[in-house]
Amino acid sequence: MGDASYVCGYRGELWTEMAHTDSDVCEMQLDGVSEVMDLLQIDLETDVVEGRPGGEDPTCSKNVLRKQRNWERQLAAKKSKRKEEKQRRRLNREKDSGATGDAPQLSKRVLKAITKERLAEAQSTGLKLCVDLSMTDSMSDKEVSRLAGQLRRLYGSNKKASQPFHVFLTDLKEDSRLYRECLRMNEGFLNYMMDITEESCLDLFPPESVVYLTPDAEEALEMVDADKVYVLGGLVDESIQKKLSYSRARELGIRTARLPIDEYMAKKHNPKNFHSKILAINQVFDILLTFCNSSSWREALQAWFPPGKGFVVAPDDSQRLPISPAQT
């Protein structure tokens, strides 16, 4: 009986302890859940605060907004500029179409084909003009570079001309400084529709048909003859060496002529008292092109003689000189 009582008492105490233990475990679990919820609550609140516009860093927000406003202003300015440019191009097209009547607008491809065809025809039937490039050894690297630029402009003028010349670049050697400079400076130089050769003008044409244009010649050029070959001295001389192109013509033993500057132009007063008849080869070329189209030296010189040279076209009645009948 005593043993049974002892066992019952022991079981009662055990259940009591177990109950206390379960209670402690539950409390610990609840405390753990509470701590976890607290942490979750903090994270959730943090996320909510960070996600709200009002929770952003004010400094960061101002910088972002300022950059956005700048970007929007730049975008609006670009759109406005593009719109103005489109309007300008449209007005120019309308102006051009009004100037040409109802003539259709040709595409760039068609215009390029027409130019190519015109230059090809000039190589068969056009007036012949040589650029003598035999004097580059006396030129500095800077002068050679300037000469390459003048050749580019000369070719550009010939492409635009309604009646282009058949152009020859003579005495141009592939191992020369000028050839390398033309390749460097002039895009598509090897595709220029002109004859590029290492031969001289006298290797290509008989001496009696060649006229060398030089500012030091005594005879003024009065007309452009389709049976003649005109030669420009390819020379840029910043050191002003006297009569280089004239000496070259005398060396070849061919006729010389000059542009009729004295006949159609007069010196004008300028503070430096500077007057020069020395022109770049592309300027001489433009004068010849205009004269061939207009038959007027006055018009050609008025259009292309640089005003900084100290000359002005004299105020006399225009004298129209004929082009050779062979050209017309």
Side-chain angles (χ1 to χ4, degrees):
M1 191 65 182
D3 294 335
S5 176
Y6 175 77
V7 171
C8 290
Y10 174 76
R11 287 180 177 176
E13 292 176 358
L14 181 61
W15 283 108
T16 302
E17 290 180 1
M18 289 177 63
H20 286 297
T21 302
D22 292 340
S23 176
D24 293 339
V25 170
C26 290
E27 290 181 1
M28 290 176 63
Q29 291 177 344
L30 290 174
D31 292 340
V33 170
S34 177
E35 291 178 0
V36 171
M37 291 299 294
D38 291 341
L39 291 173
L40 290 174
Q41 182 67 22
I42 291 172
D43 290 341
L44 288 172
E45 289 178 356
T46 302
D47 290 341
V48 171
V49 169
E50 291 179 353
R52 289 200 309 266
E56 295 177 352
D57 183 2
T59 305
C60 178
S61 174
K62 290 180 180 179
N63 289 336
V64 170
L65 291 175
R66 184 169 61 254
K67 290 179 180 179
Q68 184 176 356
R69 285 194 296 269
N70 289 336
W71 179 80
E72 289 174 351
R73 282 195 295 268
Q74 292 174 4
L75 185 62
K78 288 180 180 179
K79 287 182 178 179
S80 177
K81 187 175 181 180
R82 284 197 297 267
K83 185 176 180 181
E84 291 176 358
E85 183 66 19
K86 288 177 66 176
Q87 291 177 346
R88 186 185 64 80
R89 288 198 297 266
R90 178 175 58 80
L91 291 174
N92 287 339
R93 286 195 299 268
E94 292 175 355
K95 182 179 179 181
D96 293 340
S97 63
T100 57
D102 296 329
Q105 295 294 317
L106 302 178
S107 66
K108 289 184 178 180
R109 179 180 298 180
V110 173
L111 291 174
K112 186 175 181 180
I114 293 174
T115 299
K116 188 173 182 179
E117 182 179 352
R118 194 162 54 232
L119 290 172
E121 183 180 354
Q123 289 183 309
S124 300
T125 61
L127 290 165
K128 296 177 177 60
L129 182 137
C130 296
V131 182
D132 177 17
L133 302 172
S134 63
M135 296 175 282
T136 55
D137 289 341
S138 63
M139 296 164 55
S140 67
D141 290 341
K142 181 181 178 181
E143 291 167 344
V144 168
S145 180
R146 289 183 58 190
L147 178 57
Q150 291 177 14
L151 291 175
R152 181 180 65 250
R153 289 188 284 274
L154 182 150
Y155 181 67
S157 294
N158 205 40
K159 284 173 60 178
K160 297 175 183 177
S162 58
Q163 294 181 335
F165 278 89
H166 181 186
V167 178
F168 298 79
L169 301 185
T170 61
D171 292 279
L172 181 57
K173 297 177 174 56
E174 291 189 5
D175 61 348
S176 65
R177 291 180 298 158
L178 178 60
Y179 188 88
R180 292 192 296 270
E181 196 68 4
C182 285
L183 291 178
R184 185 184 71 85
M185 291 182 58
N186 304 344
E187 183 179 356
F189 175 72
L190 294 180
N191 296 322
Y192 280 9
M193 294 189 69
M194 57 173 60
D195 289 12
I196 301 174
T197 176
E198 295 186 0
E199 297 180 300
S200 73
C201 56
L202 292 187
D203 294 327
L204 303 175
F205 307 103
E208 61 272 14
S209 67
V210 179
V211 180
Y212 206 112
L213 299 180
T214 168
D216 298 304
E218 294 182 2
E219 178 187 354
L221 184 67
E222 294 185 355
M223 61 183 298
V224 176
D225 191 339
D227 294 329
K228 299 295 184 181
V229 179
Y230 296 91
V231 181
L232 304 182
L235 181 66
V236 174
D237 182 20
E238 295 182 346
S239 61
I240 316 298
Q241 301 180 53
K242 297 294 184 180
K243 299 187 176 182
L244 282 179
S245 59
Y246 182 75
S247 299
R248 170 62 175 165
R250 294 295 299 271
E251 176 188 331
L252 296 174
I254 56 180
R255 174 190 165 194
T256 61
R258 57 176 172 80
L259 294 178
I261 297 173
D262 293 337
E263 288 71 17
Y264 290 92
M265 306 193 77
K267 292 182 180 180
K268 67 176 182 179
H269 175 73
N270 60 77
K272 296 182 179 180
N273 195 29
F274 174 76
H275 303 91
S276 174
K277 303 173 187 177
I278 308 300
L279 303 179
I281 57 172
N282 59 293
Q283 294 168 343
V284 177
F285 185 78
D286 286 331
I287 290 171
L288 290 175
L289 273 177
T290 303
F291 173 73
C292 290
N293 289 329
S294 66
S295 299
S296 170
W297 283 116
R298 184 177 303 280
E299 181 177 334
L301 292 169
Q302 180 73 49
W304 297 108
F305 197 93
K309 295 289 184 177
F311 285 87
V312 63
V313 173
D316 296 331
D317 292 337
S318 176
Q319 179 180 354
R320 299 179 67 83
L321 297 176
I323 301 174
S324 169
Q327 182 185 353
T328 57

